[in-house]
Amino acid sequence: MSHPDSPFLVRPGTRAVLADFDPHGKYGLKKKEGKAEVKELNKELNKLQELLYATRKYSLLVVLQGMDTSGKDGVIKHVVEAFNPQGVCVTGFKVPTEEELDHDFLWRVHKATPRKGIVGVFNRSHYEDVLVVRVANLAPEAVWRRRYEAINAFERTLAESGTVVLKFYLHISKERQRERLQDRLDDPTEHWKFKVGDLDARAQWDAYTAAYEDALSFCSTPYAPWYIIPADRKWVRNLFISRILQDTLSSLDMAWPPLEEEAHGIETIP
Ligand code: ADP
């Protein structure tokens, strides 16, 4: 479900050009006010999630993609904090196992989609199959090329069965990535996060940008839109994500289920 007035929406059928989106801007916001707004939004989100759970009519799937250090883990903490953890299911997608590779690329993803009433969060996703697979040449072009269509058909199937799909590309600048990687090197408690392999991906920044632009352009649909979220500043990133979540959940057709017909008060129970 897309919100046509959001400046971060990739309008279905248009070409996404990442250079046209400023990853570093404050968009007229102030940090203190922004943080206060997030607090308020998160209270509303908590109630909306309860409604989602109580009505069991929809599920929400939040897909997170972005370059290394773009803040996927930070957004997960932010989202889980807003919600009741019992109603949230986070799934991370790593290098596929042998069993996963022996199936079609959507097999492991479909199994992880949220059931009705639940918020599912994907840390990486089926989009890796048109990103790293394309850039690192893990499959021939003829294979990854047809996946965009398969992804759209898959996401349409989800939407038609009541899963609201929101996809966030966390947009950081190359300069901010350098700083965050340097922080990982400088802080012994962050050394475990520093992977030499991430430098290969950084060296292929332009190839990843091209692959992302194709994925964002071909797969932003009215039923599963992509949003490009400015992510150099964590508080800006979190605020825009909370706003889109609130906007999306509050626009769903949900009403609190009524009391059971047989319920006539407490005293009727012996
Ligand atoms: P994080 O998500 O925190 O970076 P890892 O460092 O374990 O976690 O990275 C997961 C790795 O798995 C990434 O390098 C990603 O590109 C890779 N990966 C995920 N899905 C696929 C896929 N379908 N094919 C190949 N590699 C994948």
Side-chain angles (χ1 to χ4, degrees):
M1 187 176 302
S2 68
H3 294 272
D5 43 338
S6 170
F8 307 117
L9 171 71
V10 178
R11 266 155 247 291
T14 65
R15 183 78 202 155
V17 179
L18 286 172
D20 292 348
F21 293 82
D22 175 14
H24 195 66
K26 290 192 206 163
Y27 295 86
L29 301 165
K30 295 208 174 77
K31 190 167 180 177
K32 201 164 155 227
E33 283 85 356
K35 286 195 158 185
E37 188 185 332
V38 161
K39 255 193 178 163
E40 285 312 305
L41 282 170
N42 283 5
K43 276 188 218 157
E44 287 179 50
L45 281 174
N46 193 278
K47 208 67 193 161
L48 284 164
Q49 181 208 14
E50 206 168 296
L51 185 58
L52 185 85
Y53 188 81
T55 49
R56 280 209 166 74
K57 190 172 162 190
Y58 301 100
S59 55
L60 174 66
L61 174 61
V62 178
V63 172
L64 299 175
Q65 288 284 166
M67 308 276 197
D68 291 312
T69 76
S70 61
K72 298 185 285 294
D73 293 316
V75 171
I76 290 168
K77 271 190 229 158
H78 172 66
V79 171
V80 174
E81 233 168 59
F83 292 136
N84 175 346
Q86 288 198 95
V88 184
C89 183
V90 180
T91 310
F93 293 94
K94 309 260 179 194
V95 177
T97 63
E98 199 184 327
E99 187 188 19
E100 287 166 349
L101 283 173
D102 283 344
H103 290 86
D104 71 88
F105 77 105
L106 292 169
W107 180 72
R108 65 176 183 162
V109 181
H110 206 163
K111 281 198 301 189
T113 55
R115 60 190 293 180
K116 287 199 166 56
I118 299 295
V119 178
V121 185
F122 282 180
N123 183 355
R124 303 183 188 270
S125 64
H126 42 301
Y127 283 92
E128 291 293 324
D129 292 280
V130 289
L131 293 165
V132 64
V133 167
R134 166 174 164 170
V135 175
N137 248 315
L138 303 178
E141 175 163 357
V143 170
W144 57 256
R145 207 29 89 192
R146 51 175 186 258
R147 286 183 174 163
Y148 300 105
E149 232 179 280
I151 288 174
N152 286 342
F154 167 62
E155 292 176 354
R156 179 187 277 273
T157 304
L158 296 180
E160 284 171 354
S161 72
T163 299
V164 177
V165 184
L166 288 177
K167 300 177 297 198
F168 296 124
Y169 170 70
L170 307 181
H171 184 33
I172 55 160
S173 61
K174 201 173 177 189
E175 173 56 17
R176 180 61 100 221
Q177 187 189 60
R178 196 192 58 73
E179 288 167 13
R180 290 188 182 165
L181 287 172
Q182 189 63 49
D183 288 347
R184 289 181 180 180
L185 278 177
D186 294 344
D187 180 352
T189 70
E190 293 210 4
H191 282 175
W192 65 278
K193 289 192 198 170
F194 189 89
K195 309 235 169 61
V196 178
D198 291 350
L199 299 181
D200 296 338
R202 179 172 167 79
Q204 291 170 304
W205 185 274
D206 292 344
Y208 271 104
T209 298
Y212 266 114
E213 286 181 343
D214 274 355
L216 296 165
S217 306
F218 301 153
C219 300
S220 192
T221 55
Y223 47 87
W226 269 112
Y227 291 89
I228 296 172
I229 303 292
D232 270 12
R233 297 172 200 272
K234 295 174 185 174
W235 64 273
V236 173
R237 173 197 80 194
N238 289 350
L239 176 57
F240 284 129
I241 287 183
S242 285
R243 279 188 185 172
I244 295 167
L245 290 174
Q246 193 274 347
D247 204 28
T248 303
L249 285 176
S250 60
S251 70
L252 297 178
D253 179 25
M254 297 190 289
W256 292 102
L259 202 58
E260 285 180 285
E261 267 177 38
E262 313 83 75
H264 297 298
I266 314 281
E267 300 310 331
T268 56
I269 301 164

